[in-house]
Amino acid sequence: MPRRFRLAAGVLAAALIVPAAPFAATAAEAPATAGPTALRAAMPANLALDAVATASSTELDDARFMPAHVNDGDTSTRWSSKYVDASWVQLELAEPSEVATVVLEWPNACARAYRVQTSVDGVDWTTQAERTAQATCPRVDELSLDVDEPVSFVRMQGMTRWSTWGYSISEFRVYDAPLPEPEPQLPLVPAPVSLERGDGALVLTDEVEIEASGDAVAAAEYLADVMRPSTGFALPVVAEAEGQAIEISVAEGNAPAGHEAEGYTLEVGAGGIELAADTEAGALNGVQTLRQLLPAWIESEQRTDVEWSVPFVSISDYPRFEHRGLMVDTARSFYTVDEVKRLIDSAAPLKLNRLHLHLTDDQGWRIAMDTPAENPSGIDYTDLTGISGATGMTYNRAGQLMGTELGRTGYYTKDDYRAIVAYAGENGMTVIPEIDLPGHTNAALHAIPQLNSAGSSPKLKPGEVTVPHQGTGDVGNSSFDANNEHTYTFIAEVLRQVAELTPGEYLHIGGDEAHTTSHADYVKMVDFASATVADLGKTVVGWNEYASTALPKDDAVIQLWTGNGAAVRDAVNTRGAKVIMSPANKTYMPQKQDGRQPLGGTWACGGPCTLENAYNWNPATQIAGVPESAILGVEAAFWGEFIRGVDQAQFYTFPRLLATAEAGWTPQGGKVLAEFVERAGQLGTRMTVQGVNFFPTSTVDWRIDAAPSVTRCPVTATPAAAGDRPMSSKVEIDWRVIAPSTVPAEITAELVWSDGTRQPVELVSTAASDIAAMTQNSAYTGSTSRNFHASGAHVGQLEVTVGGAEPVVAGTVMVTVPGKR
């Protein structure tokens, strides 16, 4: 699919010596238009839903890949053919119909070349369209047909497969009319529950104040801290505003009924901005929405001369699930405190509210422990970080490097951990620490001699006091000894210290992949850990393997990552457990996003785990028999076998984390893939300004955007007749241009003024788009200057051209020169 660049949603304006209006809106308030599901509502009927699907073959003759899946309305299922180029799948329509549009959704095995054919009788076929694709899988192909009579059959006739696999189609849609143009989307992720738009926008002035009432001060200060650097506005937080105001109110009865914990309402009109919630958490959620409604340049750390406008909207919003999380694996490769803060900065605007820190594993131990004063076991707990804080991922069993470098080492002091907890809290996120046991414990065994006993694994060799460090990606080979009293002393002491450090209500004890532990020993140790967590006043969380243990009644959470969920369902029904949905094929981030990536797993999805795949699922139907009321939420899991540092972490996490955020927040009926992809494309600017190193997903049309920073040079008089002295005004304009997934050699820019003057702008970038190197290009920068001798308004439009595409207006600057002196 050729890259398509689109006009930026708003124009940018910077005025020279022009006083701001005290309170201005760009247009009068108008009746609300359709909300975020307008695209779906305007679609013609999909004739395929009532059709009968047949195919030339089915992969493995497996019912999971039968042709009926191409028209079942579920993009998580698919038809797959055998590995033959000339394969086909066809739909027999319920009645002869006119056909104008066909849409094919290809998951991970698509066609390089194919035909769309129609037939009146299913015998004689007419080719209506032929497509040779440029884009790899996954992709969505929309084909317009010119069929001059009603037909009964529509077929995809394969010509050439993309790879050695067969063809796969998740949905084959047929329409009797052209598809409507998509409704323009506001760049909101996750999509709100209810949104109505009005015509126009409120323009904020440099005198705007933030009025906070009730417990809204923290949310108000948070918003001010975001807005001050980029706008240059003072933005005082006051109890009662005197002029233009952003009003934030926290009081009982403000939130949508039944959603008091995190719900909010947001009204933007000509009269100002009103954000209302019942709680501080709800107010912060509303602030994050308002933040996304502002121009993306609000994320800049430097002053930017754009029009700070907010579209007229009326929003009533609240989350679908209580838990919306991101797990960061610090054990295999360490992240510094500043790197964790950067991950929080990129996750919090998406209304993610849980930060799950995987602190221990075979490869390393990342949280400092103190040796208690009373310590009859003789365990030196400081050795956990003194020894296993200095280890990490190394090589695989074949001696090959795991990742681009060795796993990074280090650990968090207790003060470091407290700093992370505090910073996460300021951003609306609760930290959930994980101490993985009784498997994934090689780092503890490597550091603590007392844990190495007859029933522990691996076994000590002659002369060893502790087992060697295990730095490979192998799993399931380590275990504590269920018959060693020191095991229970150790578990109790570590969990006690972690609980003391953690104000949140959850402690995660892992429990996964304990393959060398007998079931009886596993249950014995996990039951002890679960009871210990309960005694500490916390709610225990564990991976789905621990679902068969004696979970605390009505006070346990199971995190599903694999399997059919039978044990999870039983724990929900008999123990009152709640579930966090983290199915690997939907939420595991260190998987390839497409085939262009040299590193990354493919095991979770049987191929790349695409953005579309991360979006197209329903947490409420993941486990049959588990109702939505039993689902605590969803969580993306970022494992560290081969990823090093925060830049690589973001490259594998974004933009798929946007999909996970929407799965956790937006009602299933409000999710529309095409709209989501449109919004993701708009958020490319915001992510770039934030410094998020995101993957350039090929199925997203990344928008070009630009912003000027204007330097106003001293005003001088020009020679003229006395009494008629026009001013000579000089401006210098520094431009920042966002154009994701581009390289400097293919991008040019020109500033075109309203008087016809054209000025080339040379653009440079400090980081190139390079998938192999895991880098997204940074903002391009360039500068122009001009002397103005004529009074009045001078408007310049920055036209940006990428490759051979048509130039787009990415940004606008306005300079107003006063008249006679």
Side-chain angles (χ1 to χ4, degrees):
M1 179 186 298
R3 187 187 297 116
R4 301 192 303 275
F5 290 103
R6 295 166 292 118
L7 180 66
V11 295
L12 315 173
L16 175 66
I17 321 176
V18 179
F23 198 85
T26 60
E29 196 163 7
T33 57
T37 59
L39 177 63
R40 174 180 289 178
M43 293 285 282
N46 178 11
L47 304 178
L49 294 176
D50 297 321
V52 176
T54 55
S56 58
S57 64
T58 297
E59 182 180 5
L60 305 176
D61 296 320
D62 191 322
R64 293 175 300 165
F65 309 128
M66 296 298 285
H69 291 311
V70 299
N71 62 329
D72 61 3
D74 184 355
T75 54
S76 67
T77 64
R78 71 179 192 269
W79 161 75
S80 293
S81 74
K82 295 186 184 299
Y83 311 151
V84 177
D85 279 335
S87 300
W88 54 261
V89 62
Q90 68 186 37
L91 298 171
E92 181 177 2
L93 305 179
E95 59 184 17
S97 304
E98 295 181 354
V99 174
T101 309
V102 165
V103 177
L104 298 173
E105 291 201 21
W106 304 93
N108 292 329
C110 54
R112 188 179 299 274
Y114 65 96
R115 296 185 177 105
V116 172
Q117 299 175 324
T118 61
S119 175
V120 174
D121 55 10
V123 177
D124 297 319
W125 294 88
T126 301
T127 296
Q128 304 290 354
E130 187 169 319
R131 175 69 59 89
T132 300
Q134 302 300 316
T136 61
C137 329
R139 66 173 194 265
V140 178
D141 290 348
E142 180 181 320
L143 301 99
S144 296
L145 310 184
D146 185 16
V147 182
D148 57 8
E149 63 178 340
V151 297
S152 295
F153 296 85
V154 183
R155 171 185 284 189
M156 187 291 297
Q157 175 64 64
M159 297 166 62
T160 309
R161 291 166 292 147
W162 194 272
S163 66
T164 57
W165 302 100
Y167 302 101
S168 284
I169 297 177
S170 57
E171 283 297 299
F172 186 158
R173 299 186 176 95
V174 178
Y175 302 96
D176 61 2
L179 299 187
E181 287 295 317
E183 289 287 332
Q185 294 292 301
L186 292 174
L188 297 177
V189 172
V193 173
S194 172
L195 181 151
E196 294 182 344
R197 293 186 62 176
D199 288 339
L202 173 69
V203 178
L204 300 178
T205 75
D206 58 5
E207 295 181 356
V208 64
E209 298 174 304
I210 303 178
E211 180 178 301
S213 61
D215 293 327
V217 172
E221 290 288 0
Y222 185 98
L223 178 63
D225 288 344
V226 170
M227 294 180 64
R228 284 170 181 149
S230 54
T231 63
F233 297 169
L235 289 162
V237 175
V238 299
E240 187 173 350
E242 296 181 355
Q244 188 184 41
I246 301 171
E247 300 176 16
I248 306 178
S249 169
V250 173
E252 185 176 351
N254 277 349
H259 303 281
E260 291 79 10
E262 291 193 80
Y264 68 93
T265 62
L266 178 63
E267 304 284 340
V268 182
I273 298 173
E274 296 180 1
L275 194 164
D278 275 42
T279 65
E280 292 180 89
L284 184 57
N285 287 331
V287 163
Q288 300 294 16
T289 297
L290 177 58
R291 178 179 182 173
Q292 289 187 338
L293 288 171
L294 284 158
W297 302 95
I298 201 70
E299 309 295 341
S300 177
E301 290 299 317
Q302 67 185 70
R303 188 175 183 277
T304 304
D305 293 305
V306 304
E307 180 182 84
W308 298 111
S309 61
V310 186
F312 292 161
V313 293
S314 177
I315 293 174
S316 177
D317 200 17
Y318 47 85
R320 180 183 182 186
F321 297 114
E322 173 187 336
H323 179 110
R324 306 172 305 280
L326 171 65
M327 190 219 78
V328 180
D329 176 8
T330 69
R332 289 174 173 81
S333 187
F334 183 63
Y335 296 87
T336 67
V337 173
D338 285 343
E339 286 182 316
V340 174
K341 288 182 176 180
R342 185 172 157 194
L343 290 170
I344 291 170
D345 288 341
S346 58
L350 304 176
K351 303 186 182 70
L352 297 181
N353 65 347
R354 301 287 189 267
L355 178 66
H356 172 180
L357 295 178
H358 186 76
L359 294 167
T360 70
D361 212 301
D362 289 324
Q363 297 80 11
W365 186 284
R366 305 301 177 206
I367 180 70
M369 296 283 106
D370 298 326
T371 300
E374 294 185 14
N375 187 31
S377 68
I379 294 174
D380 185 351
Y381 290 86
T382 65
D383 280 345
L384 289 165
T385 50
I387 296 173
S388 290
T391 61
M393 287 294 298
T394 53
Y395 303 90
N396 65 16
R397 280 181 289 181
Q400 296 173 321
L401 183 65
M402 298 288 289
T404 57
E405 61 183 82
L406 293 175
R408 299 181 182 183
T409 61
Y411 65 90
Y412 305 113
T413 67
K414 289 191 171 183
D415 282 345
D416 288 338
Y417 181 81
R418 292 186 186 101
I420 291 171
V421 168
Y423 192 79
E426 293 166 5
N427 285 271
M429 300 184 76
T430 299
V431 170
I432 300 176
E434 180 184 351
I435 305 297
D436 206 348
L437 59 92
H440 288 275
T441 49
N442 199 94
L445 294 165
H446 178 55
I448 307 299
Q450 291 88 338
L451 297 177
N452 293 262
S453 51
S456 62
S457 180
K459 305 299 182 185
L460 292 175
K461 295 179 180 178
E464 291 181 338
V465 178
T466 64
V467 297
H469 167 237
Q470 201 282 93
T472 75
D474 293 346
V475 297
N477 300 317
S478 62
S479 178
F480 287 153
D481 182 354
N483 296 311
N484 179 354
E485 64 177 338
H486 296 307
T487 294
Y488 302 97
T489 301
F490 178 83
I491 291 172
E493 182 60 30
V494 168
L495 292 178
R496 181 190 68 78
Q497 292 193 40
V498 173
E500 287 182 351
L501 290 169
T502 304
E505 63 181 297
Y506 300 104
L507 284 186
H508 203 302
I509 62 169
D512 58 317
E513 297 178 316
H515 301 322
T516 62
T517 314
S518 72
H519 182 67
D521 286 350
Y522 174 87
V523 170
K524 182 179 179 180
M525 289 185 280
V526 170
D527 283 352
F528 176 82
S530 296
T532 300
V533 172
D535 289 343
L536 291 166
K538 304 291 187 181
T539 296
V540 65
V541 188
W543 298 103
N544 54 252
E545 288 93 329
Y546 102 135
S548 59
T549 63
L551 303 177
K553 181 67 173 174
D554 298 325
D555 195 27
V557 178
I558 302 166
Q559 188 163 5
L560 177 95
W561 73 278
T562 190
N564 63 15
V568 177
R569 179 171 55 250
D570 184 64
V572 168
N573 294 331
T574 63
R575 304 299 299 167
K578 297 288 188 179
V579 185
I580 296 170
M581 293 295 180
S582 296
N585 65 334
K586 299 297 181 182
T587 66
Y588 270 29
M589 295 302 171
Q591 302 284 310
K592 290 185 179 184
Q593 300 201 52
D594 71 25
R596 296 175 293 171
Q597 291 182 273
L599 288 178
T602 56
W603 60 266
C605 298
C609 288
T610 64
L611 177 65
E612 291 79 3
N613 179 74
Y615 191 80
N616 283 328
W617 69 295
N618 183 355
T621 60
Q622 193 67 26
I623 304 177
V626 173
E628 183 161 334
S629 59
I631 300 173
L632 189 67
V634 301
E635 184 173 293
F638 186 85
W639 298 101
E641 283 87 350
F642 55 84
I643 304 304
R644 307 288 176 259
V646 67
D647 286 335
Q648 292 186 13
Q650 289 183 334
F651 199 73
Y652 273 84
T653 303
F654 288 89
R656 288 181 296 189
L657 191 62
L658 277 63
T660 304
E662 192 141 312
W665 185 279
T666 305
Q668 193 68 23
K671 293 175 60 182
V672 181
L673 176 61
E675 294 179 0
F676 168 76
V677 172
E678 160 74 10
R679 288 180 275 120
Q682 295 186 57
L683 287 175
T685 299
R686 188 174 302 272
M687 291 189 290
T688 303
V689 177
Q690 284 180 305
V692 176
N693 185 43
F694 62 95
F695 180 80
T697 305
S698 62
T699 55
V700 176
D701 293 334
W702 300 106
R703 190 179 72 186
I704 288 183
D705 211 341
S709 294
V710 179
T711 301
R712 300 158 174 82
C713 300
V715 177
T716 59
T718 57
D724 184 17
R725 300 167 60 196
M727 307 298 290
S728 174
S729 300
K730 181 180 179 180
V731 295
E732 295 178 352
I733 306 168
D734 292 323
W735 289 95
R736 282 179 293 163
V737 177
I738 307 294
S741 190
T742 60
V743 295
E746 67 178 352
I747 187 166
T748 59
E750 189 174 41
L751 183 56
V752 182
W753 292 96
S754 50
D755 63 3
T757 300
R758 306 179 76 92
Q759 294 179 291
V761 182
E762 183 177 353
L763 299 177
V764 297
S765 178
T766 58
S769 181
D770 187 332
I771 289 175
M774 290 182 272
T775 58
Q776 175 62 268
N777 55 282
S778 61
Y780 293 91
T781 59
S783 61
T784 53
S785 64
R786 189 177 176 191
N787 287 304
F788 294 94
H789 304 292
S791 60
H794 303 267
V795 178
Q797 293 184 323
L798 188 70
E799 294 185 353
V800 177
T801 303
V802 177
E806 291 295 317
V808 298
V809 177
T812 299
V813 63
M814 184 174 69
V815 176
T816 300
V817 179
K820 298 177 182 179
R821 196 172 188 180

